[in-house]
Amino acid sequence: MVLGIVICFLYVVILTLINKFIGVKYTDLLKTENNLKKGLVIPVAICTIGLTVFAYIAGFIPSAFTYSPIISNVFLWIVPIIILAGIILRWPHARWDKFTKKGIAYMVLGALLVGFSEELLVRGILVHLLQNAGYSVLFVGIISSVIFGVMHGV
């Protein structure tokens, strides 16, 4: 468990340090396409590559991408469906005219990189380590959710 928490902590620290070095504030990400590139795509790409190499060397791949949930329940689809509905309802009201095609491409690439690295980090590594340590599904769910939330609080 400690190893998983340390890996998550190091990922956040490294990402934060890269962002500080680059100098783009989170609140300024959408102001220019250059901010998107420098403040989102580049730091997350660096961390994603580093995390993927670490996961490969440490032996977490391919098990990180072949996880089968222990619990199979239709109710687990409620949250993703609600999120998707929110995206669809908000889509027509977004100010797409503020962004160039390049800016939208940076947003999409950034979102894909963030999603990949978060899944690899939390589900692929942290959950894997917690399950292999013998913790219950409930404990794994609570701890991984708390750590995921804390990472986003930073």
Side-chain angles (χ1 to χ4, degrees), residues 6-20 47 154:
V6 168
I7 293 167
C8 291
F9 175 78
L10 287 174
Y11 179 86
V12 171
V13 167
I14 292 167
L15 183 61
T16 303
L17 289 173
I18 293 170
N19 276 327
K20 292 283 184 192
C47 288
V154 174

Side-chain angles (χ1 to χ4, degrees), residues 42-65:
I42 292 173
V44 175
I46 291 168
C47 288
T48 300
I49 291 167
L51 182 64
T52 304
V53 168
F54 166 78
Y56 179 78
I57 291 169
F60 291 111
I61 296 175
S63 64
F65 298 106

